[in-house]
Amino acid sequence: MLHRMNGILVIGPKREFHDIVDVLYHTGTLHLEDVTDRLSHETINLEKWESGYGDDITASLVKIGGLIRTLPAIKTLWEHQRKIYENLYWMDHGNLVERVNQVVHTLESRTRDLAAKKSDLQFRIASLIRYEKTIRKIQPLEEQLPLMKGFEVTVLLIQKEFEDVIALIEDELVNITNNQFELISAEIDEYTLATITVFSKRYSDAVHSFIFSKNVNEVRLPPEYVGRPFNEVLVLIDEQIRQATAEMESVNTQLASLSDEWYPELSVLEKVLLDKNKEIEAFGHFGYTDHTCMFMGWVPEKYLTATREALEGKFGDRVVVTELSLSREDYNQAPTFYENSRLVKPFEFFMQLVRPPKYLEVDPSPVLAIFFPFFFGLMVGDIGYGLVILGFALFMKRRFSDLDWLRSLMNIMIICSIPTIFFGFLYGEFFGDLGEMMGWIHPVHLMGITWNRMEAMLPMLIIAVAVGVVHVFLGLGLGIMNAITMRSIKHAAEKAGMIFAISGLILILGAAAGALPPVLLQSGFGALIMGVPLIIYGAGPMGLLEIMGTVGNILSYARLMAIGMASVILAVVANTLGDALGILLLGVVVAMLLHTLNIVLAMFSPSLHSIRLHVVECFSKFYEGGGKFYDPFKRQELTH
Amino acid sequence: MVEMGVAIGAAIAISVCAISTAWAQSRIGAAGAGTIAENPELTGSVIILEAIPETMVILGFVIAAMILIL
């Protein structure tokens, strides 16, 4: 359900503006609206409040952000962070900016130098490693080099994704050198190839000019390596890598020591500045006249008294809180604030897949909370699978208790496991037909049907489609409620007409097929005749095409049977295969693997199809969405 | 002969629908992957869109089952 929202206008003396903002910010209940937009200029000449602090805060954020990105992150005790936060947050603007400047002044040049040095060293080490790998590749040629007087050896580095260019180079070298060259390619690392070319010095200029024109990296060894034997060069490179690594360690140690000293304050400073920035952004929503300041917004009804008391407690009758008498159109702009029971709350997670409902719309999350587990249970329907899903969800919820989204998802799985076990009992399924084979459980015989899914395909199909009729009709019914709330007679007529038309079609088909008494044939035609004009009135003649769309929506619920059938067949295959293997241990392992696969599929596929049935088949009949979530003007909680 | 015809009919009903669904899902999947790469917030919508063509194969399965049972 959506919580009732109240539109309020807060008026106070202009000289106490900052204090009023502080109280509203700390009460943290007001979802701000732009008061200068909402009150017409004919009523009152309101000016937008401009905060002069924005530029300072943005500049400080950039500086602090730069320092944080340079220093290695360290974990800080939450209590310590909280203490620094409270200290910094309550500084006035001037002191806060001064503190930022002090920190920046102390750290900026040191961290900049260290970061530049670190970057140089990283580049140097990478180059040395590359030289080393290249030299190791061409080392076998060393003995031949004296014989190759008058020849030049060039090493080219080519990224693997452009290795086609090697063939191009080879073709061109044939032309340039009259085929007097050698070309060998070897892998240096997973991304780079080294291509070594040996050619007559006569063609040197032409070859280098061609290589340059193709934008290929040519390895030019540093002067200190030139003319030395490769073994000596390798020793030199090793020594230089060792030196550079030692220097890098020293730089890292210095950065770590700076981080130990400053990182907690820097990270908290960034949070405080972000918070202040958010507060300043909100200033654009406030308005003022010569002597008063005004604030407008939405407060959930349950917080209204607290908001009023906070303002009255601080300012007495100098600040007035007025509840606004708003039109239906105004209420349609109110933010959405869910207030659902503990059982429905986890299903708000799925509502993130669609746009939030508008304030005056029916909140679909209770529909999801009722039908999602029902559909899931109807599809999976296995006592064993239900128990495994329950255990898995409990474990995951406990193991990853800090991940909100996972907790919501696991709560949904816990709720879904209950109908799964119930339907498993009805179908007589415990890990497929294992329970029945062992004589532990049998399908229930109810309403003249033995609820064995493998055999009762047709009854299951009829039940699935019947569930579809109920679900789609519920959607249409909610659509009528929404239309009445929005005073849209045409929409209400269209939805009602659709209910009549579909009911008529069901009666006609049922009676014609002999499944219903023949007398209902006339009632069916009556309902269809009543429905058609209503649809034409509500949606025009083209609206009649929607009847086929709705029939398609209802038939789509056949998936409740089809997916369930696929699940049970895979479970039976697991048991049959396990049994057929003849070796007990091997059979158990194979069956367990297949059941595990089936359970993973059972958690994923029925969830997806259940959501789809809601979003596409049911919600399309009533749900428009496009609302905005309640986002009160308040300080962000410092997270652990 | 009739039995064979029934079996072939059921096979055609499910296989044509399955191929059609696979083709539609491959197109949606490719477009969806691109969409998610550009805007990860649309992941939920893309997953739902990906599931939409499955109606075809499910109805094909139902028709095949009805051909075999009825």
Side-chain angles (χ1 to χ4, degrees), chain A residues 252-320:
Chain A
N252 282 338
T253 312
Q254 289 178 61
L255 284 170
S257 129
L258 281 177
S259 203
D260 278 344
E261 190 179 349
W262 292 98
Y263 196 86
E265 183 171 355
L266 283 169
S267 63
V268 173
L269 254 177
E270 190 181 39
K271 282 176 191 151
V272 169
L273 289 167
L274 283 170
D275 225 8
K276 295 277 177 190
N277 206 27
K278 198 182 169 204
E279 194 177 338
I280 286 167
E281 276 171 14
F283 274 52
H285 290 93
F286 308 144
Y288 68 95
T289 63
D290 288 343
H291 301 289
T292 60
C293 55
M294 293 190 189
F295 312 85
M296 188 185 256
W298 299 96
V299 178
E301 192 166 67
K302 65 176 179 181
Y303 299 142
L304 183 61
T305 314
T307 311
R308 202 186 280 278
E309 280 172 359
L311 287 164
E312 284 174 3
K314 172 95 178 174
F315 304 103
D317 55 5
R318 297 197 305 286
V319 172
V320 181

Side-chain angles (χ1 to χ4, degrees), chain A residues 319-450:
Chain A
V319 172
V320 181
V321 180
T322 313
E323 255 184 83
L324 299 169
S325 159
L326 297 169
S327 66
R328 194 165 292 276
E329 282 68 37
D330 287 328
Y331 268 111
N332 214 23
Q333 303 299 318
T336 302
F337 181 43
Y338 289 119
E339 193 177 47
N340 285 313
S341 66
R342 280 182 60 202
L343 282 178
V344 178
K345 208 148 194 62
F347 293 91
E348 288 171 10
F349 175 78
F350 287 141
M351 289 305 295
Q352 292 167 12
L353 298 176
V354 290
R355 296 184 303 166
K358 283 188 175 170
Y359 179 68
L360 291 178
E361 265 187 298
V362 174
D363 171 20
S365 42
V367 177
L368 254 173
I370 295 167
F371 281 94
F372 184 93
F374 175 69
F375 290 170
F376 187 94
L378 199 63
M379 284 187 266
V380 183
D382 187 297
I383 298 174
Y385 286 10
L387 290 171
V388 172
I389 291 170
L390 179 64
F392 173 77
L394 286 169
F395 168 77
M396 292 295 279
K397 196 180 153 189
R398 202 182 162 89
R399 176 75 182 75
F400 299 100
S401 56
D402 49 338
L403 293 176
D404 282 346
W405 65 270
L406 193 77
R407 226 178 36 233
S408 295
L409 211 56
M410 290 306 121
N411 280 335
I412 292 171
M413 283 294 124
I414 289 168
I415 295 170
C416 288
S417 66
I418 296 162
T420 304
I421 293 168
F422 169 76
F423 279 106
F425 174 73
L426 200 65
Y427 303 150
E429 285 176 30
F430 180 85
F431 291 102
D433 58 353
L434 180 68
E436 206 177 348
M437 283 198 300
M438 303 298 283
W440 296 335
I441 189 169
H442 295 284
V444 171
H445 189 82
L446 194 72
M447 296 189 289
I449 308 163
T450 302

Side-chain angles (χ1 to χ4, degrees), chain B residues 29-53:
Chain B
T35 309
I36 293 170
E38 289 220 352
N39 187 356
E41 285 174 14
L42 292 172
T43 307
S45 309
V46 169
I47 289 173
I48 291 171
L49 285 173
E50 183 69 32
I52 282 177

